[in-house]
Amino acid sequence: MQALLVAAVVTGCAFFAYVSGRGQAEETAERQVRSAALAVAESPSVREAIRTDDPSAVLQPYAERVRAGTGIAFITIMDPEGVRWTHPNPDEIGRVFIGHTDRALLGETFEETYTGTLGPSIRVVTPVLDEGRVTGLVSAGITVDRVSTQVREQLGALGLAAGGALALGALGTYVVNARLRRHTHGMNARELSRMHDYHEAALHAVREGLLMLDGRRRIALVNDAGRELLGLGPGAVGRPVDELALPPALTGALLASGPRVDEVHLTADRVIVVNTSPVVGGERRGTVVTLRDHTELQALSGELDSERGFSQALRSQAHEAANRLHTVVSLIELGRAEEAVGFATAELELAQVLTDRVVGAVGEPVLAALLLGKAAQANERGVELVLTGDSLIDDGALPPSLAPRDLVTILGNLIDNAVDAASESAAGGAAGGVPAARSPVPARAVVTVTARTDGGRLLLRVADTGAGIAPDEADEVFRRGWTTRGSGRGLGLALVRQAAHRNGGTVTLDRAAEGGARFTVRLPLAGAAAQPRGTSGVAP
C-alpha cells in the first residue's frame, strides 16, 4: 500500500508537470511569434518596402533573417488581399495566404492555430499600418510539431526525475517499513489494533496494581488498581515518581535500578507488596512494577494471631484448672473439706474478676473477646492486664464504619508490645544484680488498658511498666521496621498508625505514670468520612 501510494503520487505529479509544461510551451511559442510579428509590422523598413513596386525583393531576405534569428517556423508578409510577399518556401510567394485575415484588416492583432502549407501551426496575424491605413499584413508562426518536440525533450528529463523520485520513495518506504516492522515485532495494523484492545481490557480488569516507569523514572502507564493502591490522581501519567508524595521507602523501591521481590511497604491506608523488574532492551531502560494489596490479609493475620494466642491461653488455663481440681480433690480426700472449698472459691473469684470487669465495661463483643484473650496471654507470661475503672463502651456505641479488624489491629498490637515491654522489664529487674541471699522480689509487670468514648471519639490507651522509649527514638517508633526485638519484627506500630489514619484518627506516644510507654489512639465515632485525616506523632 505504501509503495502504491508513492507510485500514485509520483505519477500524478509527473502528469501534472507534463500538462503544465505543454501549456507553458504553447504559451511561450505564442509570446515568441507575437513578438516577432509585431516587431516586423512596426519596422519602418517594412513600410518602405511595401511602397515599392517589388516588395518581395526587399522583404523576403529580411523575413528570412528574422525567422532564422528568432527560431520560429515562418514569417509571412502579404498585401491586404492576402497575396504573399514572403514565405520560407519561395514557390509559395505570390500565392494567397491560407488562414484568416479579417480581424487583422480591422487593425486587430490575434492568434490562432491553423493548418497551412507547413502543417498545423500556432500563428499570430497583425496589420502593417502606414498613416492609419492597413497597407499589409504580417503572420508569424511556429508549427505544432516543433512545440511537441520541445515538450517531448522536456518529458524525457521529467521522466528521469519521476523515476528517481519513485525509486527514492520506494527505498524510503522500504526503510521506514522495515524499521516499523522491527519495532512492532512484525505485527501489522490489524494485529496491533487487536493487541491494543486486549491490552486495554486486561489492564483495567486485572486486580493487581500495574505501574510502568520509563527510563527517566516517570510514570508511563498505570492501571485502575495501581491508581487506587497508590492514591494517584488522574494527572499521574508523565510525572516523576519522586513527585508523587509516596512514603520514602516505597519511593526508594520504585527508583531502585535492581529488581525487588515481595517487599512489604506501607502507605497511609494500605499494606502493599511490591515487585519490580527492570526492562531490558529498547532505547531507554524502564521498570515494570506490580502491586498487591495485603491490607486485609495483614488484618486477618493479626486476628488469627490473636485467636491463636487465645486458644493457647485456654489450653494453658485448662491445664492449670486440672491441677487446681486435683488439689481440691486431694484436700477432700484428706478430710480437709473447708480448706478445699476456700481454695476453690478463691481461685474462682480470681479468675472471674477480670471477666466480669471486661464484660461489664465493654459492650462491644470484638473488644471484649480481644481483651479477655490478651489477659490470658499476659497472665501466662507473668504480666497483669488491668482495665481502668473509667473504661466504658456500651453495646452499639461504635459505628458500622469502624471496622472490627481495625480495632483488633490497633488494640492487639499495642497490648502485645506492652506485654513484651513489661515482661522484659520485670525479668531484668529480678536479675538486676541483687545478691541471692537477700531473695529479691521480682518487679511487678502491669499493662493498663483504657477503652472508653470521649467527646464523640473512641479512646484506646495502653500503658506498661516497661523501660519506656528513649526520646531520640520517639519519632521512629511508627516507622516500619523499627523494633527492639531483632529482625522480622517492627510492623505492629506501623499498622496501628495506618489503621488509625484510615479511620480518621490519631496516635500519640508519651510516658506513662508507671515509667513505661503510653500509646493513645483517638478515633471518631461519627462522621469519620468527613473528619480530616489524622497524623501520628508524639504527644508533648
Side-chain angles (χ1 to χ4, degrees):
M1 290 298 298
Q2 293 174 354
L4 288 176
L5 180 61
V6 171
V9 170
V10 171
T11 302
C13 291
F15 178 76
F16 175 77
Y18 168 75
V19 173
S20 176
R22 184 175 182 86
Q24 290 179 355
E26 292 177 354
E27 184 179 353
T28 301
E30 180 182 333
R31 288 198 303 269
Q32 185 179 6
V33 296
R34 177 181 287 270
S35 298
L38 291 175
V40 171
E42 293 175 359
S43 175
S45 59
V46 171
R47 288 195 292 269
E48 292 178 2
I50 293 176
R51 298 189 191 106
T52 62
D53 296 335
D54 187 9
S56 296
V58 178
L59 294 179
Q60 175 68 9
Y62 171 76
E64 287 300 303
R65 289 196 303 272
V66 174
R67 183 182 67 83
T70 57
I72 60 179
F74 65 89
I75 294 179
T76 300
I77 305 174
M78 67 198 86
D79 63 12
E81 302 298 328
V83 178
R84 301 186 185 97
W85 286 325
T86 65
H87 196 277
N89 183 5
D91 295 337
E92 296 294 330
I93 297 175
R95 296 180 180 179
V96 179
F97 173 74
I98 301 175
H100 300 94
T101 60
D102 299 342
R103 295 166 61 185
L105 292 174
L106 297 177
E108 179 184 353
T109 300
F110 68 95
E111 64 275 350
E112 65 176 353
T113 301
Y114 200 84
T115 303
T117 58
L118 300 179
S121 62
I122 300 172
R123 61 179 65 180
V124 171
V125 181
T126 185
V128 179
L129 299 176
D130 189 1
E131 296 181 356
R133 293 183 304 105
V134 178
T135 59
L137 302 174
V138 177
S139 175
I142 186 169
T143 61
V144 174
D145 289 341
R146 180 175 297 183
V147 174
S148 300
T149 300
Q150 294 176 354
V151 172
R152 283 195 296 270
E153 292 176 355
Q154 296 176 356
L155 186 62
L158 179 63
L160 292 178
L166 184 60
L168 184 61
L171 179 61
T173 299
Y174 173 78
V175 172
V176 171
N177 189 61
R179 182 180 178 84
L180 183 63
R181 289 280 184 176
R182 185 169 63 254
H183 283 285
T184 58
H185 302 284
M187 291 185 290
N188 57 30
R190 181 177 299 175
E191 293 171 333
L192 287 174
S193 177
R194 183 169 61 250
M195 176 175 286
H196 176 268
D197 295 338
Y198 283 119
H199 167 270
E200 287 294 318
L203 191 64
H204 293 289
V206 67
R207 295 189 61 186
E208 286 192 353
L210 180 64
L211 187 71
M212 295 186 182
L213 308 178
D214 60 16
R216 296 182 179 179
R217 294 300 187 268
R218 297 176 302 186
I219 296 181
L221 183 146
V222 60
N223 67 348
D224 298 338
R227 290 180 184 274
E228 182 180 357
L229 291 177
L230 297 179
L232 302 179
V237 175
R239 294 180 58 189
V241 171
D242 53 5
E243 295 181 2
L244 299 178
L246 298 175
L250 179 57
T251 301
L254 297 180
L255 294 177
S257 58
R260 300 294 181 95
V261 179
D262 290 340
E263 285 192 1
V264 178
H265 291 272
L266 272 70
T267 64
D269 300 318
R270 298 180 183 274
V271 179
I272 300 176
V273 178
V274 178
N275 287 272
T276 67
S277 177
V279 177
V280 179
E283 296 180 359
R284 290 181 176 175
R285 294 168 58 90
T287 305
V288 176
V289 182
T290 59
L291 309 168
R292 296 199 305 273
D293 187 3
H294 273 216
T295 306
E296 294 186 2
L297 181 61
Q298 194 66 43
L300 290 173
S301 177
E303 292 184 28
L304 181 60
D305 289 341
S306 298
E307 296 296 334
R308 185 183 295 115
F310 192 32
S311 63
Q312 290 175 353
L314 289 177
R315 285 196 298 270
S316 178
Q317 286 185 348
H319 183 268
E320 289 298 319
N323 290 336
R324 292 164 185 165
L325 182 60
H326 286 309
T327 302
V328 172
V329 171
S330 298
L331 287 172
I332 293 174
E333 289 177 348
L334 292 174
R336 308 180 72 170
E338 293 182 2
E339 295 183 11
V341 172
F343 177 79
T345 302
E347 289 295 323
L348 181 60
E349 290 178 353
L350 183 63
Q352 193 65 27
V353 168
L354 181 61
T355 301
D356 293 340
R357 177 76 186 94
V358 170
V359 172
V362 181
E364 172 59 41
V366 174
L367 285 180
L370 177 66
L371 288 172
L372 290 175
K374 293 300 181 182
Q377 285 182 277
N379 185 57
E380 290 300 317
R381 298 183 59 180
V383 178
E384 181 183 359
L385 192 147
V386 178
L387 187 64
T388 60
D390 61 344
S391 296
L392 179 61
I393 300 177
D394 295 330
D395 189 12
L398 302 184
S401 59
L402 191 56
R405 288 180 180 175
D406 288 340
L407 294 178
V408 171
T409 298
I410 294 171
L411 197 56
N413 281 290
L414 291 180
I415 292 177
D416 286 341
N417 288 345
V419 169
D420 289 339
S423 62
E424 290 176 2
S425 179
V434 181
R438 299 176 59 182
S439 301
V441 178
R444 183 167 176 259
V446 179
V447 172
T448 305
V449 178
T450 301
R452 60 184 172 86
T453 57
D454 179 25
R457 289 177 175 265
L458 173 64
L459 185 144
L460 301 175
R461 178 174 291 149
V462 178
D464 60 70
T465 56
I469 297 174
D472 58 344
E473 294 181 346
D475 294 332
E476 297 292 323
V477 294
F478 297 104
R479 179 179 54 82
R480 177 184 175 272
W482 183 91
T483 180
T484 60
R485 289 183 290 277
S487 60
R489 306 290 295 273
L491 188 60
L493 289 178
L495 292 176
V496 169
R497 180 180 64 174
Q498 185 188 76
H501 184 277
R502 186 163 51 244
N503 290 279
T506 61
V507 183
T508 57
L509 165 64
D510 58 2
R511 192 167 187 82
E514 298 83 358
R518 182 175 68 173
F519 290 88
T520 302
V521 179
R522 291 182 174 85
L523 302 175
L525 292 178
Q531 293 287 342
R533 289 294 189 183
T535 56
S536 301
V538 180

